[in-house]
Amino acid sequence: MNRYWIKMLNLVLVVGILFAYNTTLEHRTQAEEIARLTAELASSNLQLAKYAEKTDNRESQEQPVESDYVDGVYQASARGYGGDITMELMIEQGMMTRLNILSAAEEDGAYLQMASSMVKEILRQQSVEVDTVSGATYSSIGIRDATAKALEQAKK
Amino acid sequence: MKKMTPVQKKRIHTYVRAGIQLLFFILLPSAFTTAFAGVKYIFTRLGVREPIEMNSFVLILCVLLAYTIMFGRFFCGYACAFGSLGDAVRAVYLWICKKRKKKPLAWKESWSNVLVYLKYMILFAIILLCFLGKYSTVRGSSPWDVFSMLIAGNFKLGAYGIGTLLLLVIVIGMACCERFFCRFCCPMGAVFALMPVLPACSLQRTREECVKGCSGCKRVCPSDLDLPEAGTPDISGECFQCGKCMHVCPKQNVRHGVIPKKLELFFTLIRTALLAALLVWAGV
């Protein structure tokens, strides 16, 4: 009987601690975000003022970005955990703009879902050299390698 | 319908259980590693002071823990691929012994009483490594990873020397002692064993009605457990809900909490369906 209640109490404690931990961190990140945005706002006001002064003698800076890649849609596969993962990569104006997992039949659902956060990261960093998702290493490597191969095809 | 004899009931139960284990083994072989990946993820995040997100690993972990609190370790007894491997290895070993007319190696209960604590140490070591961010240094030594790779048809085990060796040792252990890995080594089992199990559906007996001096249920139990008195929550965290005790009892004195005896088979199927539905919903 006692053991049962001790286990119950432990469980409640652990869950409580994890919730408290998450809430604390959330508050902290919010506070940091506010501080960052405030600072950004202040500096952008400053820049705006400077920009208004200089705006006459400034040429348009919008030039097409130099890129090593040819626009188009590319596909490539690489070995994941249980089999091949096929990725589809779209390049527009030399940038990676879209990346999809076309097929990954042999991957386990939960692992693939964890690893698929790599897709956003690759697009954000415009590079395949991103960290693999810990716990889902094989699926991550499959996504990364397939994307790298697709990118290789796109090279001029 | 004709009433079934206890022996027939036992046989049906054995077949049903083996069938369920086989189905889970084929369809959802990675559920146990996924749940444990949730544990590792939580402690890795705690180690780097990052928030714990409700990702698919954590969701599956929560689902399985909630299920265990409700029904006991039914997952371990019926659905875990590694547990099923253990049962299969043991069954094959016993079959070989029978064919060759040799006695299986005797296992001493006193060994079990000590080894039972090993799994908590393994669990503690793994979560400590995760917390310190050092888990990747022991990656090649996980027998689970080797097992998962083998079922996935991936035979590049070059970096997994220690893991392969450990898996071999475990398979030998599985042959010598029923549920060797689950009882002594499984870190996920350690987590399950720490959960409180509600008495409403777990295995129990009414002591008064027992045959005097009979210890059939304890002898057939893979964990050598004494069943708790009906209505009390003293269910051991080591019980896999395998149900062998129900069928060995000469007075049919063992039951699942409030579940009527007649519905026992139905109850097993319901638990199976619920578990499968939950796992699929959680995205295993």
Side-chain angles (χ1 to χ4, degrees):
Chain A
M1 189 64 125
N2 272 337
R3 190 175 280 192
Y4 173 76
W5 290 110
I6 291 170
K7 281 178 176 179
M8 198 59 114
L9 190 70
N10 282 343
L11 179 67
V12 172
L13 271 178
V14 168
V15 172
I17 288 171
L18 288 181
F19 264 105
Y21 167 83
N22 256 2
T23 328
T24 318
L25 278 186
E26 203 175 304
H27 279 303
R28 214 174 59 188
T29 33
Q30 269 173 6
E32 278 169 9
E33 184 75 5
I34 290 170
R36 195 180 61 78
L37 287 176
T38 321
E40 217 167 68
L41 199 68
S43 72
S44 71
N45 279 341
L46 210 70
Q47 276 176 358
L48 209 64
K50 276 186 193 165
Y51 185 73
E53 282 171 23
K54 289 183 182 173
T55 193
D56 309 327
N57 49 12
R58 197 137 177 203
E59 295 289 297
S60 161
Q61 268 201 331
E62 275 186 30
Q63 277 170 7
V65 191
E66 272 303 308
S67 167
D68 301 334
Y69 304 116
V70 184
D71 289 359
V73 179
Y74 305 90
Q75 283 179 14
S77 303
R79 174 89 192 178
Y81 165 65
D84 279 350
I85 298 181
T86 307
M87 303 294 293
E88 187 184 60
L89 173 68
M90 183 190 259
I91 294 194
E92 285 172 317
Q93 291 166 357
M95 302 271 279
M96 290 191 258
T97 53
R98 221 170 56 198
L99 185 60
N100 294 323
I101 302 170
L102 268 196
S103 73
E106 298 296 321
E107 302 304 296
D108 285 316
Y111 290 88
L112 186 67
Q113 209 178 329
M114 288 295 285
S116 63
S117 68
M118 299 258 302
V119 168
K120 236 197 303 182
E121 203 52 29
I122 289 173
L123 289 181
R124 199 178 65 80
Q125 297 195 15
Q126 287 294 311
S127 160
V128 290
E129 300 302 321
V130 299
D131 289 335
T132 55
V133 179
S134 75
T137 315
Y138 283 98
S139 301
S140 300
I141 288 175
I143 289 178
R144 193 185 62 191
D145 290 356
T147 311
K149 278 187 197 168
L151 201 60
E152 196 65 30
Q153 293 172 13
K155 270 208 173 133
K156 272 175 187 166
Chain B
M1 211 172 86
K2 227 168 61 178
K3 211 165 185 304
M4 278 187 291
T5 65
V7 177
Q8 280 173 319
K9 268 191 183 171
K10 182 182 166 188
R11 193 170 295 156
I12 289 179
H13 176 264
T14 310
Y15 286 146
V16 167
R17 178 157 177 243
I20 294 171
Q21 286 185 302
L22 188 66
L23 272 180
F24 273 104
F25 191 96
I26 295 167
L27 300 176
L28 298 168
S30 62
F32 70 107
T33 48
T34 317
F36 196 63
V39 176
K40 289 191 286 192
Y41 167 81
I42 289 176
F43 283 91
T44 310
R45 298 294 276 185
L46 289 174
V48 291
R49 313 287 186 279
E50 290 285 335
I52 295 156
E53 284 157 31
M54 200 55 169
N55 58 34
S56 50
F57 290 168
V58 180
L59 183 65
I60 287 165
L61 176 67
C62 291
V63 162
L64 274 184
L65 293 184
Y67 186 91
T68 303
I69 291 170
M70 190 64 219
F71 296 111
R73 290 171 65 180
F74 184 82
F75 173 80
C76 301
Y78 284 75
C80 173
F82 213 70
S84 302
L85 172 77
D87 282 344
V89 168
R90 176 78 179 160
V92 168
Y93 174 70
L94 290 181
W95 181 77
I96 292 175
C97 286
K98 203 174 160 189
K99 283 279 158 194
R100 300 180 64 186
K101 296 201 171 57
K102 275 190 177 171
K103 268 200 166 172
L105 286 173
W107 183 270
K108 286 214 179 70
E109 204 183 315
S110 56
W111 299 348
S112 307
N113 294 339
V114 179
L115 280 174
V116 128
Y117 296 102
L118 178 65
K119 61 175 177 291
Y120 296 105
M121 286 184 239
I122 294 176
L123 173 68
F124 183 73
I126 293 177
I127 60 180
L128 193 68
L129 283 170
C130 286
F131 186 75
L132 299 174
K134 296 275 195 299
Y135 183 74
S136 51
T137 54
V138 295
R139 184 164 297 276
S141 45
S142 163
W144 275 5
D145 283 355
V146 177
F147 175 69
S148 310
M149 285 170 74
L150 291 179
I151 3 182
N154 189 343
F155 297 101
K156 289 178 196 150
L157 295 175
Y160 286 87
I162 302 174
T164 314
L165 195 72
L166 283 176
L167 184 64
L168 275 176
V169 172
I170 288 167
V171 167
I172 294 170
M174 282 168 167
C176 300
C177 173
E178 186 174 0
R179 290 272 163 173
F180 173 86
F181 182 81
C182 312
R183 295 177 67 193
F184 310 138
C185 315
C186 180
M188 193 63 221
V191 178
F192 283 138
L194 291 171
M195 291 293 120
V197 178
L198 299 177
C201 302
S202 58
L203 286 164
Q204 44 200 256
R205 65 176 163 185
T206 319
R207 195 67 209 253
E208 283 176 7
E209 290 167 19
C210 285
V211 176
K212 255 208 162 141
C214 169
S215 61
C217 49
K218 189 178 177 181
R219 271 183 285 126
V220 80
C221 178
S223 298
D224 309 316
L225 294 176
D226 276 316
L227 280 161
E229 181 66 36
T232 64
D234 294 338
I235 183 82
S236 166
E238 305 294 323
C239 172
F240 304 119
Q241 303 293 327
C242 69
K244 285 185 174 176
C245 47
M246 297 184 98
H247 302 282
V248 81
C249 180
K251 296 194 77 175
Q252 268 115 71
N253 196 15
V254 184
R255 60 191 296 169
H256 284 111
V258 295
I259 310 297
K261 266 268 152 66
K262 278 182 195 163
L263 298 180
E264 187 202 301
L265 191 64
F266 183 65
F267 182 53
T268 299
L269 295 178
I270 288 282
R271 282 182 296 177
T272 308
L274 183 66
L275 180 60
L278 281 171
L279 288 177
V280 169
W281 170 77
V284 167

